[in-house]
Amino acid sequence: MRFIPRDLLRPIRTDGMRNMVTLAGDRFLSGAFGPVDPMGGSRWGALSSHSGGVPHAGTSGYAQVADGNIFTARSTSQASYSRGFEVHFLSLFYLHLIRLRPRPDFPDRTPTTFDILYAGDEDRHFRESLSGRGELNRRMVVTDPVVPRQIDQPRPVVKEYRFEESGDFGTPPRVRILNFWSAMPEGQTWELAEFEAYGSGYALEASYVTEIIDVGPDRTRFRRYFDDSDPLNPNRPVTFESFRTLDANRDGLLQPEERADVKAAAQFDPDASGRPVTWGRVRWHGQVEGKNGDVRVRVRSGTSLDTRVYTRKVGKGVVSPFIDQSIVLDWPTPGDRIDAFSFAGLTGLQRSQVRNLQANAVGNEDGLVGGWTPWSAPFAFEEGLVERDGNGGVLLPLLPLHRYIQFRFDFVNEGESGVSLDYLEFDFSEPVVTRGIVAEIFPDTASHLAIASSFEYVLKPDMASTDAGFNRIEILVPSQEARVGSLLIDDLAWERVLPTAEVPQNRRAWLDTLTVAQTGRFATVTYFDSTDGAYKLGIKTAELTAVDFPRGQDAEMTIVLTSPVFRLLTRFRSWIWNDTVDLDLQPTQPGNASDRLPTDEVVVTVQSNQQTSKLRSVVPNPFTPNGDGINDTAVFGFGVFLLTADAGISIEIFGLDGRPVKRLGLTGGAGDYQLPWDGRDEAGRLVPPGIYVFRLDVNSDSPAERTGTVTVVY
C-alpha cells in the first residue's frame, strides 16, 4: 500500500509586495500555526478566538492591523493594560520595511509616541531561568528597539521605516517578533488600521510537523481536527490542544460532552480499529530554489494517538501514569490515567498538580505496552529523493508493529534559497509475523578485534495461524568473512543446501533464485548489499509458519555464526520476509528470544587497546601482471577498527628508492577491506619487476600506518 500526499510544502518568498504581518494572520487562519495566534495581545500571542483569543472579525481588535483592510482598525484608549500588540512570525526573516497606516477618515488618531521592539536570534534575545523544581526554562525577550523611540510624531500620517545599507536605520535586522508599544498619554484614543512589515528572501529557518497519520485502517487517515466552535472559521484546522475541558454551563460538574477528550473524539475516533504494520522506505520529490537551501526530514512512529503520557511523580525517580485524586472537580476519577487530550484542557494552575511530564516513549511501564519512538536522526534532502524509475529513498528506522507515523521537516537556508517538497511517500505492509519476532545474540562480548568469534543468534517469532510466515532471514554483519555454521529449530539441526556448482559472483542472486521446498533444510551466503553499503548474511528455508512455532511451546531458531568485529560496539540487526508473497521486510526486535541466554540484545562489545588498522595479507605475493589471467593482480586485505565516522583509507606503493609509484584509496568506516593493485603506476604503465614497499594509512583521529613489501615478477 502506498500513501502519497501532493504539493506538500512550498517556500514563500518575501518581497516589497508581500506584507508579512498579513501573511502571518492568513496562515494562522489556514491552520498552519496551530493554536498560536501571531496577532496576540500577550507576549506569545493569544489562542484562537473560541479559546479566549483576539477576534479576527469586526471593527476593532488586535487582528484588524493584519487583515489587509484599511477601514478596520485596532482602536484603543491608552491604558497601562492596553498599550500595544505583538506580531510573532514563528520564523526568522530579514526585515526591510515597517509601515504604519491609520484609517483614511481618522488621520488624527495616528499614534505619535511609541516604540517598535524586536527579537531575532541574538543571544540577548533569549533568557534562561531555573524554575522552582530546578528545570531550566528558556524564553524570548523583546526589548531591542528596531527603530529609535518615536516622540510626538503626528506627521507623516503614514509612517515608514526602511532598513538599508546606507539608510537611517541601518542594515536589515533578522526578526522573529515585532512588538508595537504605545507611549501615548493615559486615556488618549489612538488606532492603527494596518501594521505592515516587508522582508526579502525566504524564511531563514522553519519547522513543520505533519498530522499523525494512521495507516492501520483499510484507508489511511490523518488525525486532523477543525475549529467547529468558531462560527467565522469552522473549517480552520487546529491541533487537539485547542479542545479544552471546561465547565461550559457552570453547574459545578463536568459532563462528558464538556471534556476535551470527548470533544476531540467526536471528530476523530481514538479507538478506531486498525492493524499494526511493518515499514519500508520513505522518499520524496522536491527541488531547491536558489542556492544552499536544505531540509532535514525526521520521522517517528507509535502505537497510540498520544505522543505524550502525563504522569504523577510517586517517589524519587519513580513516576506513575495513574492519579490518586481528582485534579479539578470530579475529574479524572482516581485511578485514571491522564491522556494528552485531557491534559491539554487543563489550566496552568491545574496542570501544576501533575508533578511530572514525560514523553510517551516505547516501553512497558506500569503495564502499559506501546508508546512512540523518539524522532529519528535526520535524513538529508538528497538521501530520499525519488529516482527516475520511481524507486529510491531510505529505509524507515522505525519499530515494526506500529500503526501511527509522523514526519517533521526542518528547513535551514541563508535567506536567498528555499526547498519545496512536492510530495512524500512511504511504503508499509502487513507484517509476515503479526505479533512480532525478537532476536538475541550470545555472547555479547568478543575478546579481540578482527578475529572471528562464534555467536549464537536466536530468533523467536510469535506467530498466529493466519500469518503468511517467512522463508528469508537477513542479518547485518560487519564482514564478508561472516559464516553460518549451523541452524537449529527447537534444538534440531537442519541440513545445509550446497550449490551444485560454484556460487556465482552475485551471491544474493543465487539465493533469490534458489527454491528450498523441504522442511529441515536451509541455504546461506554472505554478500555485499550495494543499496545500503553493508555486508549481509542471507538465509533461505522452506516457508516457516505457526506450525513450526506453535504458541506456548517457546520454539526458537538458533543460528550459530562466526564473524569478526571491527568496532567496540557492533549491532547485528536482522530482518525476515517471505519472497513468495508481496509483503515487505519485517525488522526483528531485540528481546528475550531464549530464556537460557542472559543478553536480550543484539549488540556485541569488545574491550581492546588495538590501533585503528591491521594488515592481514597480500595475495598473491609475488604476483605477475603480464595479462595472462593468472596472478595478474595483488589484493591487499586489511581491517580497520574503532572508527566512529568514515575516514580516508589509502595504500601507497613506493619503489625501493622512495619514489612514489601508485596510490590506492577509498573512504569508509570500521570494517574489512580489500584493495587490488594491477601492477601499474599512476600513468597506467606496468612497473618494472622488483620489490616494492607499500604503506597502509588510515586518516582518523588516531592515525595509524602499516608497512610491508610486495614483489612484481614477469
Side-chain angles (χ1 to χ4, degrees), residues 216-408:
D218 292 334
R219 183 175 180 180
T220 298
R221 304 182 301 169
F222 286 116
R223 191 185 75 174
R224 176 176 289 177
Y225 300 101
F226 296 91
D227 189 5
D228 59 356
S229 64
D230 186 348
L232 298 173
N233 299 288
N235 297 317
R236 183 174 66 84
V238 295
T239 59
F240 76 88
E241 290 91 348
S242 297
F243 295 93
R244 306 184 64 80
T245 297
L246 298 171
D247 183 12
N249 58 11
R250 300 183 180 182
D251 62 354
L253 298 173
L254 283 176
Q255 306 301 325
E257 62 273 13
E258 295 174 326
R259 287 178 47 164
D261 56 339
V262 174
K263 289 188 284 187
Q267 293 195 26
F268 191 103
D269 181 7
D271 300 319
S273 61
R275 61 195 177 285
V277 302
T278 186
W279 308 101
R281 290 181 173 268
V282 60
R283 52 198 160 267
W284 46 83
H285 188 278
Q287 48 277 325
V288 177
E289 301 179 11
K291 295 181 179 180
N292 302 322
D294 196 13
V295 59
R296 302 288 176 169
V297 182
R298 301 174 189 264
V299 64
R300 62 178 178 176
S301 65
T303 58
S304 71
L305 285 172
D306 268 343
T307 58
R308 305 198 69 84
V309 169
Y310 300 87
T311 61
R312 175 179 59 88
K313 190 173 183 179
V314 296
K316 186 175 182 180
V318 180
V319 296
S320 171
F322 302 98
I323 64 166
D324 54 2
Q325 61 183 355
S326 299
I327 293 177
V328 53
L329 300 178
D330 59 348
W331 176 89
T333 303
D336 279 0
R337 172 170 171 254
I338 306 173
D339 60 18
F341 297 98
S342 304
F343 189 90
L346 301 178
T347 66
L349 180 62
Q350 293 162 350
R351 291 181 186 185
S352 67
Q353 299 183 46
V354 181
R355 296 298 183 186
N356 194 19
L357 166 67
Q358 68 179 22
N360 183 9
V362 172
N364 187 17
E365 194 169 324
D366 278 351
L368 298 171
V369 181
W372 278 79
T373 64
W375 287 110
S376 69
F379 302 124
F381 177 62
E382 295 80 9
E383 277 187 275
L385 285 173
V386 175
E387 297 175 353
R388 288 178 178 269
D389 60 1
N391 295 314
V394 289
L395 281 172
L396 286 164
L398 302 174
L399 294 177
L401 308 184
H402 286 191
R403 64 178 274 192
Y404 301 98
I405 190 170
Q406 192 174 32
F407 290 91
R408 170 179 149 191

Side-chain angles (χ1 to χ4, degrees), residues 69-73 75 101-110 155 157-158 191-194:
N69 185 349
I70 62 173
F71 297 102
T72 61
S75 180
R101 294 179 180 270
R103 285 191 290 177
D105 294 341
F106 299 93
D108 57 325
R109 293 186 183 179
T110 183
R155 296 289 183 271
V157 174
V158 176
E191 66 177 40
L192 276 177
E194 291 298 304

Side-chain angles (χ1 to χ4, degrees), residues 78 113 142 178 182 205 234 274 337 342 372 400 415 456 534 543 664:
Q78 181 74 18
T113 302
V142 190
L178 283 176
S182 170
E205 60 185 33
R337 172 170 171 254
S342 304
W372 278 79
E456 287 186 49
E543 195 168 79
L664 311 171

Side-chain angles (χ1 to χ4, degrees), residues 570-648:
T570 302
R571 189 179 303 275
F572 288 78
R573 298 173 59 201
S574 60
W575 299 262
I576 61 171
W577 77 98
N578 191 324
D579 63 7
T580 65
V581 297
D582 187 20
L583 294 176
D584 216 334
L585 277 69
Q586 179 175 346
T588 65
Q589 295 176 264
N592 183 25
S594 176
D595 291 335
R596 60 187 174 82
L597 302 182
T599 58
D600 294 354
E601 258 295 351
V602 293
V603 175
V604 173
T605 60
V606 60
Q607 300 293 329
S608 176
N609 58 2
Q610 287 183 240
Q611 297 190 22
T612 56
S613 64
K614 179 179 181 180
L615 180 70
R616 286 200 301 274
S617 62
V618 182
V619 180
N621 190 10
F623 75 109
T624 58
N626 56 12
D628 64 357
I630 302 174
N631 296 335
D632 281 338
T633 303
V635 178
F636 299 88
F638 57 93
V640 178
F641 322 122
L642 309 181
L643 297 185
T644 57
D646 286 353

Side-chain angles (χ1 to χ4, degrees), residues 8-12 27 31-34 36 88-93 176 202-211 239 294-298 375 378 406-413 419 421:
L8 190 58
L9 288 170
R10 297 278 180 198
I12 296 175
R27 299 187 74 202
F33 285 176
V36 178
H88 200 318
F89 299 118
L90 295 186
S91 190
L92 194 65
F93 293 90
R176 192 185 307 273
Y202 299 95
L204 301 177
E205 60 185 33
S207 292
Y208 292 90
V209 179
T210 68
E211 294 95 341
T239 59
D294 196 13
V295 59
R296 302 288 176 169
V297 182
R298 301 174 189 264
W375 287 110
Q406 192 174 32
F407 290 91
R408 170 179 149 191
F409 309 93
D410 297 315
F411 294 85
V412 179
N413 68 79
V419 178
L421 291 174

